[in-house]
Amino acid sequence: MAEKNDLMEKVVSLCKRRGFVFPGSEIYGGLANTWDYGPYGAELKKNVKNAWWKHFVDDRDDMVGLDAAILMNPKTWEASGHVNSFSDPLIDCKKCKTRHRGDKLLEEKIGVEKTAGIELKEIHNALEKEQVPCPDCGKIDWAEAKTFNLMFKTHQGVVEESTTEVYLRPETAQGIFVNFKNILDSCRVKVPFGIAQIGKAFRNEITPGNFIFRTREFEQMEIEYFCKPDTKKEVFEEWKDLSKQFFTEVLGIKTDNLRFREHDEKELSHYSSMTFDVEYRFPFGKRDAVETWGELQGLADRGDFDLSQHEKFSGKDLKYQDPHTNERYLPHVIEPSFGCDRTLLTVLIDAFDEEKLEDDSVRTVMRFKPSIAPIQVAVFPLLKNKEELVGKAREIYKDIKKSFRSEWDDSGNVGKRYRRQDEIGTPYCITVDFDTLEDESVTVRDRDSMEQERVKIGELKEYLMAKM
Ligand code: ATP
């Protein structure tokens, strides 16, 4: 297993080498902290999103989906509180003039519990007291902290006036709240029920970094679950269990590296009375960090804050009427909010393994759960210049591809092909050899154990299906 500090470097390098994640606009020298998902990354991301949608929407009867616009009426963001309070503490280094996020620097030094809820005016003194140096020049000479609003502004239409100013949404959640009434009126939903959405969000982060962990453009997978106010404690607990299930059972993340952390009172957002973060122990290896737990998902009790704010700002009645009792009320909301890119980073780190083999060489293998692996089955002819082998292998490949995400590979020797498939995390490789032509069987090689088994072509699909 790679040492903590270089694990991150190894994952980033494998991602580039094997087509998972590339630096954004690289041929032009890049654009800071932007990343593009390559063929295997795009596939993995799609599988994570599909698994999420299946777990939280398709497999349930109390959930519906939504795909709202990124650009919304700016009043939305006044109502939600983002215009006034969606900001982070910005702190300047007086020596080298670089800008940093004060609370995060402190968090790396003394931990998130001791930093949580720190007031803006206390940050400067705390950084000096804890002797936190500037990450760029190493000096300790901080200016006072200022608030910095994280919303990206742009203009809609051809005239650049303040009336045309719009924001790129900083979260997908508000698209759900503004459509609450539409969904009540058009679908057969009854409280308790939830609305799910996957989509891009944008935040002008002061210090993006740690690969795809913190970027300015990212994807969220969010749910707003509407319930009767007196049931929300149980609903919250239910969503806690469902979230844990998603990470451990659906994605196969190791539980040792996951934790639920409750926000203390000072840390709570303006809209929340209870929040838990699902955190993963990332191998960021920051300078003298005391811990590297990073948030994957927030789970918040938002009460009726959003619906009542939207009622106030839009002048529309957003109340729900109970069909049995005729009681009219604003439901309360439990919000599980997942970061898609952070989940993907977690999947990549958690799957990465280096295994020492008997001949002392090291095999790099991505141990993805087969159900989410970008490629599930690779098919090889033993030799690429033997027509009978290639023809037979092509036949098998064509058929296998109908049921599994599959890849054809006929270049180099089989050993090298196995190594490449190990690095992209393909759980099964099928080799068609000369015996196949005689006995209608192929060799199936298991990524994790490296064991090889002969399987009849007629039984291949069933054999693989049972393993996925
Ligand atoms: P952080 O404290 O790390 O800035 P947050 O508490 O502001 O995160 P939320 O507003 O709760 O995050 O957003 C929900 C989820 O969206 C987070 O759990 C995270 O997975 C994801 N997310 C938030 N900001 C970013 C970002 N800049 N880059 C990638 N993912 C993000």
Side-chain angles (χ1 to χ4, degrees):
M1 181 71 187
E3 285 298 311
K4 188 176 162 192
N5 282 350
D6 62 18
L7 173 56
M8 195 63 198
E9 240 167 70
K10 288 183 175 179
V11 170
V12 174
S13 141
L14 181 139
C15 280
K16 168 104 202 271
R17 191 172 71 248
R18 291 298 185 201
F20 283 90
V21 186
F22 305 127
S25 2
E26 200 182 8
I27 61 165
Y28 289 106
L31 175 68
N33 299 102
T34 60
W35 301 95
D36 297 336
Y37 290 97
Y40 297 117
E43 196 66 50
L44 185 63
K45 194 177 190 192
K46 187 194 75 190
N47 300 339
V48 166
K49 288 195 276 188
N50 287 348
W52 186 89
W53 196 269
K54 180 171 181 329
H55 183 65
F56 291 117
V57 184
D58 292 343
D59 286 354
R60 301 175 61 98
D61 294 326
D62 56 350
M63 292 287 305
V64 291
L66 179 76
D67 187 0
I70 287 174
L71 301 177
M72 299 177 73
N73 187 309
K75 275 223 157 119
T76 310
W77 308 112
E78 284 175 43
S80 66
H82 283 80
V83 170
N84 280 335
S85 58
F86 192 57
S87 52
D88 280 334
L90 172 80
I91 191 146
D92 286 306
C93 169
K94 290 204 246 171
K95 278 277 176 301
C96 71
K97 313 287 181 231
T98 51
R99 315 190 108 179
H100 303 272
R101 196 170 144 186
D103 57 334
K104 289 286 163 196
L105 287 182
L106 206 56
E107 219 174 272
E108 285 172 25
K109 183 78 191 261
I110 59 172
V112 64
E113 282 90 357
K114 285 192 196 148
T115 312
I118 186 162
E119 298 227 1
L120 186 73
K121 56 182 188 301
E122 297 167 1
I123 288 181
H124 172 267
N125 285 351
L127 287 173
E128 303 259 332
K129 178 171 163 247
E130 298 296 339
Q131 290 288 289
V132 179
C134 167
D136 284 290
C137 69
K139 300 281 182 318
I140 304 171
D141 192 2
W142 297 109
E144 288 296 327
K146 306 181 265 210
T147 52
F148 177 76
N149 193 295
L150 300 182
M151 280 205 292
F152 270 102
K153 240 186 229 169
T154 185
H155 289 267
Q156 172 156 291
V158 289
V159 198
E160 278 203 16
E161 289 169 356
S162 62
T163 50
T164 66
E165 250 176 26
V166 289
Y167 300 100
L168 301 185
R169 67 179 176 200
E171 62 176 27
T172 61
Q174 298 306 323
I176 297 180
F177 292 119
V178 302
N179 279 292
F180 174 68
K181 192 81 176 125
N182 280 336
I183 289 176
L184 280 186
D185 293 345
S186 61
C187 305
R188 293 214 159 89
V189 287
K190 280 196 206 122
V191 166
F193 76 96
I195 305 174
Q197 171 162 231
I198 298 180
K200 290 258 177 169
F202 302 81
R203 296 181 186 178
N204 202 2
E205 297 278 359
I206 297 169
T207 43
N210 286 324
F211 195 32
I212 53 172
F213 179 83
R214 187 180 301 284
T215 47
R216 293 186 170 117
E217 171 184 347
F218 56 97
E219 233 170 327
Q220 290 188 312
M221 309 187 284
E222 294 200 296
I223 292 165
E224 306 305 325
Y225 195 83
F226 302 90
C227 61
K228 277 191 95 163
D230 60 359
T231 61
K232 66 180 177 178
K233 279 217 161 62
E234 299 112 74
V235 174
F236 194 98
E237 286 308 311
E238 233 174 82
W239 281 97
K240 229 169 114 182
D241 291 344
L242 283 165
S243 306
K244 191 165 180 200
Q245 228 176 49
F246 173 68
F247 287 113
T248 57
E249 290 169 33
V250 179
L251 300 183
I253 306 294
K254 297 175 201 91
T255 41
D256 293 358
N257 291 329
L258 277 177
R259 73 173 188 187
F260 276 90
R261 189 180 65 78
E262 185 171 3
H263 283 205
D264 75 16
E265 223 168 277
K266 288 189 291 176
E267 199 185 348
L268 289 172
S269 310
H270 60 281
Y271 53 75
S272 180
S273 59
M274 170 150 72
T275 295
F276 269 82
D277 284 345
V278 181
E279 297 182 331
Y280 183 77
R281 199 198 306 263
F282 285 99
F284 292 151
K286 294 168 196 155
R287 294 169 293 282
D288 50 352
V290 292
E291 60 185 23
T292 54
W293 290 97
E295 175 184 334
L296 287 182
Q297 181 210 334
L299 177 63
D301 170 0
R302 293 180 82 121
D304 65 359
F305 174 80
D306 304 87
L307 288 179
S308 64
Q309 285 290 101
H310 287 305
E311 268 203 334
K312 204 156 86 194
F313 278 74
S314 70
K316 301 279 184 322
D317 178 2
L318 301 181
K319 283 176 202 68
Y320 170 77
Q321 179 158 357
D322 187 300
H324 302 297
T325 63
N326 287 335
E327 186 193 352
R328 288 171 49 74
Y329 63 96
L330 283 180
H332 278 214
V333 171
I334 302 301
E335 177 195 70
S337 168
F338 298 72
C340 180
D341 310 80
R342 285 188 191 177
T343 302
L344 208 72
L345 179 60
T346 307
V347 167
L348 287 162
I349 290 169
D350 216 64
F352 184 93
D353 194 14
E354 285 178 327
E355 188 183 7
K356 204 159 184 195
L357 302 178
E358 275 172 17
D359 64 359
D360 268 358
S361 65
V362 174
R363 161 175 100 113
T364 302
V365 48
M366 297 299 276
R367 299 190 193 274
F368 298 126
K369 215 174 166 216
S371 52
I372 59 163
I375 302 295
Q376 295 174 299
V377 184
V379 180
F380 315 151
L382 182 66
L383 299 168
K384 77 169 181 190
N385 53 3
K386 290 280 177 245
E387 223 173 272
E388 336 67 288
L389 289 185
V390 174
K392 190 75 188 165
R394 278 274 175 210
E395 225 176 81
I396 294 169
Y397 173 62
K398 221 170 127 191
D399 193 40
I400 287 290
K401 208 170 163 58
K402 288 184 198 146
S403 310
F404 304 98
R405 293 183 293 276
S406 310
E407 191 173 87
W408 171 265
D409 191 0
D410 60 8
S411 49
N413 65 43
V414 171
K416 281 209 179 111
R417 290 183 228 166
Y418 282 152
R419 289 299 170 87
R420 181 173 171 277
Q421 295 297 335
D422 284 345
E423 288 204 353
I424 61 171
T426 307
Y428 298 99
C429 293
I430 296 173
T431 305
V432 173
D433 55 23
F434 290 105
D435 289 342
T436 309
L437 305 176
E438 307 294 320
D439 66 2
E440 283 290 305
S441 297
V442 291
T443 302
V444 180
R445 185 252 196 188
D446 180 296
R447 174 197 68 198
D448 294 335
S449 64
M450 293 194 291
E451 268 165 24
Q452 303 190 359
E453 221 180 308
R454 288 298 281 183
V455 179
K456 287 268 176 229
I457 297 172
E459 293 162 14
L460 202 49
K461 260 196 198 169
E462 222 173 297
Y463 172 91
L464 290 168
M465 205 61 91
K467 306 241 177 204
M468 295 294 168

